[in-house]
Amino acid sequence: MKAIICKEFAPLEQLEYADMPDPVATGRQVVVKVEAAGVNYPDGLLVQGLYQSKPDRPFVPGMEAAGVVESIGPDVKNLKAGDRVATICQLGGYAEKVVVEENRIFPIGDMDAGDACALMVAYGTSHHALKQRAELKEGEVLVVLGAAGATGVAAIQIGKIMGARVIAVCSSDEKRQIALKSGADEAIGYDNLKDQLKEMTGGKGADVVYDVVGGEAFDACSRAMARNGRLLIIGFASGTIPQFPVNLALVKEYAVVGVFWGNFTRAEPEVYADNMKELIGWYQSGKVKPVVEGRYPLSDAADVLTRVLGRGATGKIVLEP
């Protein structure tokens, strides 16, 4: 089969599109013929050795995929060849086939494979962040940074389902229009962000900030939090990990909350499974709708990751073998 192979931590252009042996299912494993593999910001960090975890090399990146069950191991109980499924595979998604444990798979029926990929990591991250980490309440003000990206769109839609007033923050007019179409109540830029948020909330500040950007945007939001607010740390797309003056949390009485979705899926698998069931239900009822911006050949993985890391993507991007 064809796959994207990372032989050593290196710049993105050194990823290889090459042949490797087909996977074989044993025990409770399932081989999925991939229709779409989701592209995520951490994938680009991982292959350069810049992510929190550093897998043994060589490896195939790609933490989510959707497609058709091709074969099953002898101990698989609830799946059969021909079932359409999506999976959080951690690694291996950027390939024509991927082998995963049965408990990492969710049936998707006739759902679009690209949409299914978006629900896995982007919506999964935002759902966990707002539900378990922020405990977002109806009527609260939610500020979403990077709001036109895949996780940002997800945070907007989930925030609205949970009853929040959503203020989207984006870097361009085009991206702000995407945020508004995704359900945001208001969309603003990053200039004078602290003052804008204070003015828009009548001086109160934000109850919850969803921050995938870091850098100066984090600094601004850290000074525009409401009492009892929750400042969620999702990632650092700006490339700058900010330094937090802890006296702000003391005098303003708010919490800085880390969100590491991958760790959550491993530590609380039953809660994670319940989250995914809720997300799929929302999708089926039309409450959430991923924005799949582009679908590209698997061989274009390096170029696509370069664009994603450069913050040039809006919505979800998938690779199709």
Side-chain angles (χ1 to χ4, degrees):
M1 70 173 185
K2 293 289 188 182
I4 299 295
I5 303 172
C6 177
K7 291 187 175 179
E8 292 295 338
F9 296 135
L12 298 173
E13 59 267 23
Q14 293 189 31
L15 289 171
E16 295 187 19
Y17 177 63
D19 290 301
M20 63 182 301
D22 285 8
V24 176
T26 61
R28 297 196 65 183
Q29 292 180 329
V30 176
V31 173
V32 178
K33 185 176 181 181
V34 176
E35 295 177 358
V39 178
N40 293 285
Y41 191 92
D43 296 338
L45 300 179
L46 188 72
V47 299
Q48 297 177 86
L50 302 175
Y51 196 56
Q52 291 98 320
S53 59
K54 292 179 171 57
D56 294 334
R57 281 80 67 204
F59 67 91
V60 175
M63 60 180 65
E64 63 192 0
V68 179
V69 174
E70 182 175 84
S71 60
I72 62 174
D75 300 325
V76 172
K77 298 178 180 179
N78 300 311
L79 294 166
K80 64 182 184 303
D83 287 347
R84 293 190 73 250
V85 298
T87 179
I88 297 296
C89 43
Q90 304 299 338
L91 295 172
Y94 290 9
E96 292 180 329
K97 300 177 184 180
V98 62
V99 61
V100 290
E101 296 293 326
E102 181 182 18
N103 63 1
R104 306 292 294 182
I105 285 180
F106 301 89
I108 62 171
D110 60 358
M111 184 186 302
D112 175 80
D115 284 358
C117 284
L119 286 183
M120 294 292 108
V121 174
Y123 279 76
T125 297
S126 297
H127 190 208
H128 169 56
L130 298 180
K131 185 174 183 177
Q132 278 89 27
R133 302 300 286 153
E135 297 183 348
L136 181 65
K137 300 176 181 63
E138 185 174 358
E140 290 191 317
V141 174
L142 167 65
V143 175
V144 180
L145 306 186
T151 56
V153 168
I156 290 169
Q157 294 179 359
I158 294 168
K160 292 306 298 178
I161 290 171
M162 298 176 74
R165 171 191 171 195
V166 179
I167 300 173
V169 187
C170 306
S171 60
S172 69
D173 288 338
E174 177 188 4
K175 290 182 177 181
R176 288 190 281 274
Q177 288 304 311
I178 290 170
L180 290 169
K181 289 178 180 178
S182 297
D185 296 289
E186 296 123 311
I188 60 176
Y190 287 94
D191 292 341
N192 301 314
L193 183 55
K194 181 193 75 170
D195 294 337
Q196 286 192 86
L197 294 177
K198 285 286 192 177
E199 181 179 350
M200 295 173 76
T201 59
K204 176 187 174 185
D207 296 299
V208 176
V209 170
Y210 182 97
D211 181 14
V212 297
V213 175
E216 293 181 359
F218 172 90
D219 294 338
C221 289
S222 70
R223 290 165 169 78
M225 296 298 298
R227 183 173 180 270
N228 294 323
R230 289 83 76 203
L231 176 47
L232 302 177
I233 310 304
I234 318 292
F236 312 103
S238 68
T240 300
I241 299 176
Q243 301 296 310
F244 177 61
V246 295
N247 62 300
L248 287 176
L250 186 155
V251 299
K252 296 175 74 67
E253 291 192 287
Y254 68 84
V256 178
V257 183
V259 181
F260 188 1
W261 177 81
N263 187 55
F264 158 68
T265 68
R266 293 184 290 271
E268 300 182 65
E270 293 181 357
V271 179
Y272 160 58
D274 288 341
N275 277 9
M276 290 310 307
K277 289 175 185 175
E278 185 168 52
L279 280 173
I280 291 172
W282 285 344
Y283 175 89
Q284 292 171 337
S285 65
K287 291 183 178 180
V288 299
K289 175 59 178 173
V291 175
V292 179
E293 178 210 331
R295 301 168 189 265
Y296 298 88
L298 180 63
S299 55
D300 288 356
D303 290 340
V304 170
L305 282 170
T306 298
R307 184 173 164 218
V308 170
L309 263 64
R311 299 177 66 186
T314 56
K316 187 69 177 178
I317 293 180
V318 298
L319 300 170
E320 296 181 337

